[in-house]
Amino acid sequence: AAGVIQSPRHLIKEKRETATLKCYPIPRHDTVYWYQQGPGQDPQFLISFYEKMQSDKGSIPDRFSAQQFSDYHSELNMSSLELGDSALYFCASSPPSLISNLQETQYFGPGTRLLVL
Amino acid sequence: TQLLEQSPQFLSIQEGENLTVYCNSSSVFSSLQWYRQEPGEGPVLLVTVVTGGEVKKLKRLTFQFGDARKDSSLHITAAQPGDTGLYLCAGARDSGYALNFGKGTSLLVTP
């Protein structure tokens, strides 16, 4: 079965640079979520989108922005990168209620490992 | 603040033993999910529980959602070395909203 696709899988940037992470949800899933996981930490929610509109917002820095496009893929844009932004970034997607009665279930991608030098 | 308290944080047992991991909160969740995560990889969904009192079984794994939908447990029977990994519980308030994760239980099963 198709899973959530994230690209790139690995990214190295320098301080103050920008980065764009991409997420392609499972086909027919309409909601995407972004999480940040630091070393030894549990995933922390950043932001989510449902039908291209922001549905929930967590601890996303003002330097970051995200959007969901008409084909449901999402991009996380990160500017003025800081050393502390080094982490695993996960995208997750969930299905609409029309095809699942477990629409709250989130399926995670393999993540993008970002290293800021 | 950590909405979900997971215990124990670390667990080292021998093959064949049984174990239970607990996930507790003072908040009510509309659903609770259990994931398993390998280092450097994304969390892999094990189960979603949505009904208070619900019990779901996945081979040797038994998941229970508390009657009040504030807590959950994961019981593994006859643990095997292949069960080694990080187990995370996560609660959702509603669809489209953040998952609140527990800190995770790092399980090591030795032969």
Side-chain angles (χ1 to χ4, degrees):
Chain A
V4 176
I5 298 172
Q6 289 187 247
S7 67
R9 292 295 312 277
H10 304 273
L11 191 58
I12 300 175
K13 292 285 185 179
E14 297 200 352
K15 284 193 306 183
R16 292 179 288 279
E17 286 192 324
T18 61
T20 297
L21 308 186
K22 296 186 178 183
C23 168
Y24 297 87
I26 292 172
R28 297 205 292 162
H29 283 199
D30 57 2
T31 307
V32 293
Y33 312 77
W34 287 97
Y35 292 83
Q36 178 192 60
Q37 186 176 30
Q41 303 294 316
D42 54 288
Q44 296 296 313
F45 174 73
L46 295 177
I47 195 166
S48 62
F49 291 87
Y50 165 70
E51 287 289 342
K52 292 152 284 190
M53 299 289 289
Q54 181 181 308
S55 56
D56 195 10
K57 189 174 180 180
S59 53
I60 184 170
D62 292 340
R63 300 176 287 107
F64 295 4
S65 65
Q67 58 181 324
Q68 184 180 31
F69 295 85
S70 57
D71 64 351
Y72 296 105
H73 94 273
S74 178
E75 293 183 3
L76 177 66
N77 299 294
M78 311 161 74
S79 62
S80 302
L81 286 168
E82 301 174 356
L83 296 179
D85 296 328
S86 296
L88 271 167
Y89 289 84
F90 291 109
C91 171
S93 71
S94 61
S97 56
L98 283 177
I99 64 171
S100 171
N101 62 353
L102 296 176
Q103 65 266 32
E104 295 159 11
T105 297
Q106 297 182 23
Y107 298 86
F108 283 75
T112 294
R113 181 176 292 279
L114 172 66
L115 178 60
V116 181
L117 302 175
Chain B
T1 45
Q2 198 76 23
L3 283 182
L4 280 166
E5 296 293 335
Q6 206 171 326
S7 63
Q9 189 176 355
F10 300 99
L11 190 55
S12 180
I13 62 172
Q14 290 202 310
E15 183 176 2
E17 292 184 9
N18 302 330
L19 66 115
T20 302
V21 177
Y22 299 94
C23 184
N24 297 305
S25 177
S26 58
S27 301
V28 176
F29 293 100
S30 59
S31 72
L32 200 138
Q33 292 150 51
W34 285 90
Y35 294 88
R36 179 175 159 179
Q37 186 178 25
E38 299 299 328
E41 299 181 11
V44 176
L45 179 72
L46 296 174
V47 79
T48 298
V49 285
V50 296
T51 306
E54 182 177 8
V55 176
K56 281 191 174 179
K57 292 194 174 185
L58 187 66
K59 296 183 180 179
R60 294 176 293 101
L61 278 59
T62 302
F63 305 86
Q64 186 163 8
F65 201 13
D67 291 340
R69 291 186 289 129
K70 293 182 180 181
D71 52 79
S72 181
S73 64
L74 158 61
H75 182 80
I76 301 180
T77 303
Q80 300 176 2
D83 296 327
T84 294
L86 179 67
Y87 291 83
L88 292 161
C89 67
R93 286 184 292 129
D94 201 349
S95 176
Y97 289 89
L99 277 180
N100 295 283
F101 280 85
K103 287 290 188 186
T105 294
S106 182
L107 172 65
L108 174 63
V109 183
T110 54

